[in-house]
Amino acid sequence: MSNLKPSIDKLLALVESKEEELIQLTQALVRIPTINPPGDYYGDCIELLRSRLEDRDFEINIIRAEGTPGDDEQYPRLNIIARKEGSRSGPCVHFNSHIDVVPPGLGWDEDPFDAKLIDGKIFGRGTCDMKGGLAASIIAVEALLEWMPDYPGSIEISGTADEETGGYGGVAYLAEKGWMAVPRIDHVIIPEPLNKDRICLGHRGVWWSELETFGTVAHGSMPFLGDSAIRHMTAVLDEFEQKLIPSLQQKVTAMPVVPEGAKQSTLNINSIHGGLAEGFAGFPAPLVADSCRIVLDRRFLIEEQLSEVKLEVLSLLEGLMKSRENFSYSLKDLFEVVPSMTDQNAPVVQSVARGISRVFDREPQYVVSPGTYDQKHIDRIGKLKDCIAYGPGILDLAHQANEYVGVTDMVESAKVMAIATYELLSGEQTE
Ligand SMILES: [Zn+2]
């Protein structure tokens, strides 16, 4: 170990020397407006990654997730996996970044796809979430390859589609096909913007559902001849306010979820529609609503079972069946993901933790994300548990106007990634 220390310093210096390259790579990625939906310019972004990594002797696979939501000839769901084999057998370390960005929205001071560098920050849609992280992982790996050309195992870098819309044309598809699954890969780092000194172990669970109440149509001047689905829905919402939401606030997780408010179970009523259809500018027809629909977004904790989460809502609805005349409903599942949390002692967590303490001279903070990201597919479909999110950028800036990533943050987290990759490949500990 005695002569390892200066050598690791050399690796870190090598990462630092690539700062200009890191800026340019981030800017080049951000300037391709891979807006999703609909999934614009994926091909251009994949091409940029292909040419860069092919030049560095990576073996390239470009995989189109055919038949997944949104995939067609105009907007093919394209993914790239670049792999570089070492000189002998060993584990595979995989960096996974999504290449899609959400639409820029309004309120920008600069063009969101100009990727301007101002005072050490690169501004633009996708700088923080997560092209800065993708660029940092590429620079980390390139520095490592220069520093240690003779290494065991293999290194992979992927750029994947559609994370912002659920990942079905990206990581979910690749996990199903065995690309992002055991036994092909062993350790995964997802450079999502969780802040450079934090390790994100996983995420809370999600249950989306659509609830509809039914009524009987009648003339609006004689509502007593009909039965209002909206009034029935009001009764449901009242039960939520009086009973369900207060009981969710009592459920607090041991998961280190950030921000603090998300340590509880939560329910968001995503939307509500009832009666006359929206979008008509004329005078409304006088009708009693025969249907009212809401979409529920329920986030749950590792201590809760999905079946219990559903039962809470169902039993409340069954109660209304008994207490309210003519109450009827339908409840449809839209989407569900169970919580995921990697063990704090898992190899990828420990090696990134040592990287963080080396680079920042302090212990990392372990966190869990309030919302889900592609780790869910790697865990559930790919059956790989040794997976975390770790990357530069401030989480709160994601999806906002004037999103940016700090250049120093990118360089520092690239150092952490380089150390972690070295440890995971070699089985050595750097301290
Ligand atoms: Zn992201």
Side-chain angles (χ1 to χ4, degrees):
M1 292 293 271
S2 56
N3 58 1
L4 192 61
K5 214 170 176 179
S7 171
I8 287 283
D9 286 339
K10 222 173 130 190
L11 171 63
L12 301 186
L14 208 49
V15 173
E16 218 165 278
S17 73
K18 294 178 185 292
E19 180 178 307
E20 195 47 47
E21 232 186 300
L22 178 52
I23 293 169
Q24 282 168 12
L25 177 56
T26 306
Q27 287 178 320
L29 288 165
V30 173
R31 284 170 186 155
I32 303 168
T34 46
I35 300 171
N36 180 34
D40 261 333
Y41 299 102
Y42 285 174
D44 297 63
C45 191
I46 296 291
E47 177 52 27
L48 189 153
L49 295 169
R50 183 200 63 76
S51 78
R52 181 172 187 109
L53 294 167
E54 205 166 59
D55 282 352
R56 286 148 178 91
D57 295 324
F58 278 75
E59 174 200 322
I60 304 291
N61 283 285
I62 294 172
I63 302 139
R64 176 172 166 188
E66 266 181 76
T68 55
D71 176 69
D72 59 23
E73 289 312 311
Q74 192 185 358
Y75 299 112
R77 286 12 230 182
L78 293 170
N79 298 276
I80 183 169
I81 297 180
R83 182 180 178 100
K84 197 161 159 92
E85 295 287 349
S87 57
R88 53 200 183 278
S89 68
C92 174
V93 177
H94 183 113
F95 285 93
N96 166 246
S97 299
H98 64 84
I99 58 167
D100 58 324
V101 303
V102 294
L106 303 173
W108 288 80
D109 296 333
E110 303 291 337
D111 180 330
F113 297 105
D114 224 18
K116 248 190 207 148
L117 175 66
I118 305 166
D119 293 335
K121 296 169 181 162
I122 303 172
F123 285 84
R125 177 55 86 226
T127 46
C128 160
D129 184 11
M130 57 176 290
K131 287 170 171 173
L134 169 58
S137 67
I138 291 172
I139 293 298
V141 166
E142 289 176 0
L144 185 80
L145 292 173
E146 268 178 53
W147 179 73
M148 187 175 64
D150 177 32
Y151 61 94
S154 53
I155 301 172
E156 285 190 347
I157 294 171
S158 61
T160 55
D162 287 1
E163 191 275 342
E164 300 291 2
T165 49
Y168 299 102
V171 172
Y173 183 89
L174 296 170
E176 253 159 37
K177 300 287 175 197
W179 289 98
M180 283 200 197
V182 286
R184 196 172 176 281
I185 55 177
D186 299 281
H187 313 285
V188 177
I189 296 173
I190 302 175
E192 286 274 9
L194 266 304
N195 302 11
K196 61 188 175 182
D197 56 355
R198 303 203 299 196
I199 297 175
C200 182
L201 302 170
H203 52 75
R204 298 191 301 176
V206 188
W207 175 49
W208 282 72
S209 60
E210 187 183 79
L211 171 65
E212 185 170 8
T213 52
F214 302 103
T216 310
V217 72
H219 197 288
S221 67
M222 297 172 283
F224 47 85
L225 294 181
D227 181 27
S228 170
I230 295 175
R231 289 183 62 196
H232 287 308
M233 188 59 86
T234 308
V236 174
L237 296 176
D238 199 44
E239 291 283 299
F240 285 174
E241 288 298 322
Q242 302 303 325
K243 295 179 189 159
L244 183 60
I245 292 172
S247 89
L248 299 185
Q249 288 167 345
Q250 299 304 311
K251 297 187 191 187
V252 178
T253 184
M255 301 171 98
V257 186
V258 288
E260 196 61 30
K263 280 206 168 74
Q264 303 168 348
S265 257
T266 55
L267 172 67
N268 178 44
I269 298 158
N270 171 276
S271 54
I272 181 162
H273 296 284
L276 283 180
E278 286 175 289
F280 174 64
F283 197 76
L287 289 170
V288 174
D290 56 357
S291 156
C292 185
R293 280 179 300 116
I294 59 175
V295 171
L296 300 176
D297 176 359
R298 172 77 165 84
R299 305 295 169 129
F300 63 101
L301 314 172
I302 209 158
E303 293 85 353
E304 296 177 282
Q305 295 294 322
L306 178 58
S307 55
E308 293 165 23
V309 165
K310 292 183 180 182
L311 203 61
E312 281 171 344
V313 172
L314 276 170
S315 61
L316 191 147
L317 293 168
E318 290 303 311
L320 286 170
M321 290 282 283
K322 293 194 185 93
S323 65
R324 257 186 101 79
E325 213 181 327
N326 294 327
F327 181 83
S328 68
Y329 72 92
S330 81
L331 183 64
K332 191 168 78 184
D333 292 330
L334 297 179
F335 176 66
E336 50 194 56
V337 175
V338 294
S340 173
M341 189 162 74
T342 301
D343 192 313
Q344 207 167 302
N345 296 311
V348 72
V349 180
Q350 286 302 306
S351 53
V352 171
R354 278 188 292 271
I356 289 173
S357 31
R358 174 134 195 165
V359 173
F360 301 106
D361 203 21
R362 60 176 179 266
E363 291 303 305
Q365 195 193 341
Y366 298 95
V367 299
V368 161
S369 166
T372 69
Y373 53 96
D374 277 336
Q375 183 165 338
K376 59 181 177 262
H377 302 307
I378 292 168
D379 176 358
R380 282 208 309 170
I381 306 171
K383 306 274 180 259
L384 180 73
K385 302 293 170 196
D386 203 34
C387 176
I388 55 162
Y390 169 76
I394 299 162
L395 180 61
D396 300 0
L397 295 176
H399 300 197
Q400 293 199 5
N402 300 319
E403 174 185 349
Y404 69 82
V405 67
V407 173
T408 310
D409 284 13
M410 286 198 293
V411 172
E412 286 172 339
S413 66
K415 289 180 181 176
V416 173
M417 292 179 202
I419 291 176
T421 309
Y422 163 69
E423 283 204 4
L424 290 166
L425 289 175
S426 67
E428 302 274 336
Q429 290 187 7
T430 49
E431 56 180 56

